[in-house]
Structure formats: structure tokens, C-alpha cells
Amino acid sequence: MSRYFTAELSALEPYTPGEQPQNRKYIKLNTNESPYPPAPGVAGAVAGAAARLALYPDPESGTLIRAAADWFGVEPENILCGNGSDENLMLAIRAFCGKDRPLAFADVTYGFYPVWCQLFGIPQVVLPLKEDFTIDPADYYGLDKSQGVGAIVIANPNAPTGLALPAAALAEIARRNPDAIVIVDEAYVDFGGESCVSFVQKADPANLMVVQTFSKSRSLAGGRLGLCIAPAELISDLKRVKYSMNPYNINRMTEAAGIAALADRAYFEKNCAAIRATRADTTAKLRQMGFTVLESSTNFVFASTARMPGGELYRRLKEAGVLVRHFDTPRLQNWLRITIGSPEQMQGLFDALNQILE
């Protein structure tokens, strides 16, 4: 780092995104992108929006928000659009946590949570998963009183494990922490999880918010679009932070893409069903090969084998032209997170695995 970098951030460990190599063609199963293109109407909608790029977009993203409100059965004032779900998560953590209001999260979960804590000087309360990688909701009860937390963030289904809690368990965590906000990160919920949006519809509990993304189930990872769904007063809090940082956060083309994606429910449901079917097939085949595979509610599987260390298997697969995700931490070093691609991509994975392991 340069000598001009602030001392406050000198110890910052930035988030490490999944590899996006450009040096060769890979079967890319490492960043949980969809193997299918966006809905057929998206390309035309984006092209139409491009004609108006000389003008700033609507800072409220009003047309998109109304379309999303119809989809989720809430009012427009219950929704905030973000530049990916990451921006909404960041806004929420900044809004509800501070130097004396920690953020609580699991020890094995989305790696951006601790980075934002470092960036904003927010203390962390880290709660270990059980030995089987599950979350015990009771571990999260009363953290607003015992630890003084400002917010609890739970990825549900969790990443990289793929495991999910029932929505009622998340609502109960919120009720057991009335003085904190519970943020449910539902990036993967469309592949088998149970959404907490129904609790937001009733504002019961009133301290529960949901964050979703268009990156996975709507094939818009390159468009960078996410939504926060929450009681109106919490959305108002987030807007105060958004308008202090990035008021024009959703560009015209992304807004048009999001509206077109929401309009095609049949295409959305078909792709989600296809990924679930491929996931079931992948899980069965990996288990036949002797892998331990957790029960996934996501568009990836979390797998381990005693036949080869995780790091070595990751490297051997990369050499064979197959990218998967490996986390080199003590609890995860023998596990791989494998995105569910098309059936053809998954066959390429199994061809490589057979060659490497046999």
C-alpha cells in the first residue's frame, strides 16, 4: 500500500471475489452464476434504455420498484433497489451498526460481512456454526441485550454450505432481539429456501428485513441489481444513507433489465426448476463417487471427499479446465463449493473428476 493510505484502514482485508480468469476457456462453476441467459425480453429492454443514457436515471427507480412490489405483494415504500444485493447489505450494516453497536453473523457465511465491519469500524460478534454446519437459532436469541448488537445478518440459505432455516425460525430470532435489526440475506432463496417476505408483508416482526438479488435466479449477475424488502420506516433509514453516498445507484439499463426479468415469471420458474433438477442429479452422482455432499437449497453444492485434499482437488480441476471455489480456512479446507451449471457443464465436471480421482 502507498504511504498515503489511511492508518485506520491499514489492516483492512478486502473481500476476495471468485476468480474471473480470461486466459483460457473454463467450465466455470465457481461464482454461482446462472448457466442460462436472462429472460428473452431483457436484451430488447436494455437496448431501448441505452437511447436515453445522456440523462440521469430516476434515483427512486420508481417503475422498477412498482414492478417488484407487485411481484412480492408489498407496497412500493417497502422496497429499496441496490447496485447488487451487496449495496443494500452494506447500507443496512452502515445504518444500524456502529462503534458501540456490533454486527452479529456466523463464522462460516458470506465473506463480505466482516469486511464491511472492518471498513466502517464496527465490532463483530461471530457465532460458530454447529459441527454439521447448521445454525442453531437459539444461539442468536437475546444478542441485542447480551452483546448490544445493532444488527444480525443471516444468509438463508447460507453460503457456502447451502443449508437453510425455515422462515419462522428467522422471524423468531427477530422477535427475540427487539432492539436489533435482523437482516435475512436471501441471495439463493429461489432454489429451495423459504422466504421471509411474508413476515415483512405483515411487518411482524417489525425489525426484520429481507435482501434479495437478481444475480442468481434471474441471470443478471452482470447487471448488478438487488432489492431490500422491509417495513417502510427501515427503508426510509436506508434511503438516508443511500442519498448520502450514491443517489443514482441504479443505471437506466439495469432498471430496464430488472423490469423485463420480473415480467417473465414462466421463464424464471423454468430456470429455477432446471437448476434444482440438475442439483439433485449432481448430488446423487457425487455421493456415488464417495463425496460427502450437504443438502443444498441453493444453486451450488458443498462437497468433500477423503480421496484427495480439497485444495489439491481444486487445483487439479483448474488444470483440467474446471473452476470451482475453495476456501482455505481451517473448517473448510477440505470442502469445495460447486456451482450448478447446465447438464453439459456438470458432465464436464464429472469427466474431470473421474480422470483426476481414478
Side-chain angles (χ1 to χ4, degrees):
M1 69 185 72
S2 78
R3 63 187 179 90
Y4 304 102
F5 199 60
T6 63
E8 291 83 357
L9 296 182
S10 60
L12 182 65
E13 296 182 16
Y15 174 71
T16 304
E19 295 173 273
Q20 301 283 354
Q22 307 298 318
N23 61 321
R24 61 176 286 189
K25 185 176 181 180
Y26 287 93
I27 297 175
K28 197 168 181 299
L29 306 176
N30 67 323
T31 48
N32 300 339
E33 296 144 318
S34 174
Y36 304 112
V42 168
V46 170
R52 302 189 67 202
L53 286 181
L55 304 176
Y56 283 110
D58 173 11
E60 290 287 330
S61 302
T63 306
L64 172 58
I65 282 180
R66 287 189 291 273
D70 288 343
W71 177 283
F72 289 103
V74 297
E75 298 300 320
E77 55 263 31
N78 296 126
I79 294 182
L80 179 70
C81 296
N83 191 281
S85 60
D86 287 340
E87 184 177 50
N88 282 330
L89 289 164
M90 180 192 68
L91 293 175
I93 291 168
R94 189 67 188 89
F96 303 119
C97 298
K99 289 182 171 53
D100 58 349
R101 299 280 286 167
L103 177 70
F105 52 89
D107 66 331
V108 177
T109 191
Y110 185 33
F112 231 141
Y113 305 150
V115 174
W116 286 316
C117 287
Q118 286 185 290
L119 184 63
F120 298 130
I122 295 168
Q124 306 171 35
V125 174
V126 181
L127 300 155
L129 299 180
K130 300 304 180 185
E131 190 67 27
D132 61 358
F133 294 115
T134 59
I135 288 176
D136 184 347
D139 291 344
Y140 291 76
Y141 294 170
L143 293 177
D144 58 341
K145 303 296 192 298
S146 64
Q147 301 285 344
V149 301
I152 300 166
V153 60
I154 299 175
N156 194 59
N158 196 14
T161 65
L163 302 177
L165 288 170
L170 279 299
E172 184 62 21
I173 290 172
R175 294 190 184 100
R176 298 290 190 115
N177 291 276
D179 295 327
I181 299 298
V182 174
I183 308 161
V184 185
D185 183 354
E186 293 186 348
Y188 302 99
V189 74
D190 295 322
F191 302 106
E194 184 183 4
S195 178
C196 288
V197 168
S198 62
F199 292 98
V200 176
Q201 291 169 341
K202 301 174 289 186
D204 179 23
N207 59 331
L208 182 69
M209 66 167 45
V210 169
V211 175
Q212 290 198 11
T213 180
F214 283 58
S215 295
K216 317 298 183 185
S217 58
R218 291 184 173 85
S219 306
L220 289 177
R224 311 309 304 131
L225 179 61
L227 298 176
C228 181
I229 308 157
E233 65 175 357
L234 300 184
I235 294 295
S236 180
D237 293 339
L238 298 188
K239 284 184 176 180
R240 288 175 64 87
V241 182
K242 170 198 159 178
Y243 281 102
S244 300
M245 297 176 69
N246 188 17
Y248 297 109
N249 61 334
I250 308 298
N251 67 70
R252 287 185 177 277
M253 293 184 293
T254 292
E255 181 173 3
I259 294 166
L262 287 169
D264 199 334
R265 186 180 291 267
Y267 185 81
F268 162 81
E269 291 176 348
K270 182 184 75 170
N271 283 353
C272 289
I275 288 170
R276 288 193 294 269
T278 306
R279 181 185 70 206
D281 180 69
T282 299
T283 299
K285 288 178 178 176
L286 284 171
R287 287 173 175 167
Q288 289 169 5
M289 296 178 69
F291 280 79
T292 298
V293 186
L294 301 189
E295 290 295 334
S296 175
S297 296
T298 66
N299 67 337
F300 60 84
V301 292
F302 200 49
S304 176
T305 178
R307 298 169 67 182
M308 185 175 290
E312 183 180 353
L313 183 54
Y314 153 76
R315 289 187 291 273
R316 296 281 298 275
L317 282 169
K318 185 175 181 179
E319 290 169 2
V322 180
L323 282 180
V324 297
R325 192 77 190 262
H326 178 247
F327 300 90
D328 193 13
T329 63
R331 291 194 71 177
L332 306 182
Q333 60 187 0
N334 283 321
W335 292 80
L336 298 178
R337 191 194 71 188
I338 304 169
T339 301
I340 300 301
S342 67
E344 295 76 16
Q345 288 175 312
M346 304 318 292
Q347 186 58 53
L349 166 72
F350 284 111
D351 290 344
L353 285 173
N354 283 326
Q355 185 174 16
I356 292 167
L357 295 177
E358 295 181 7

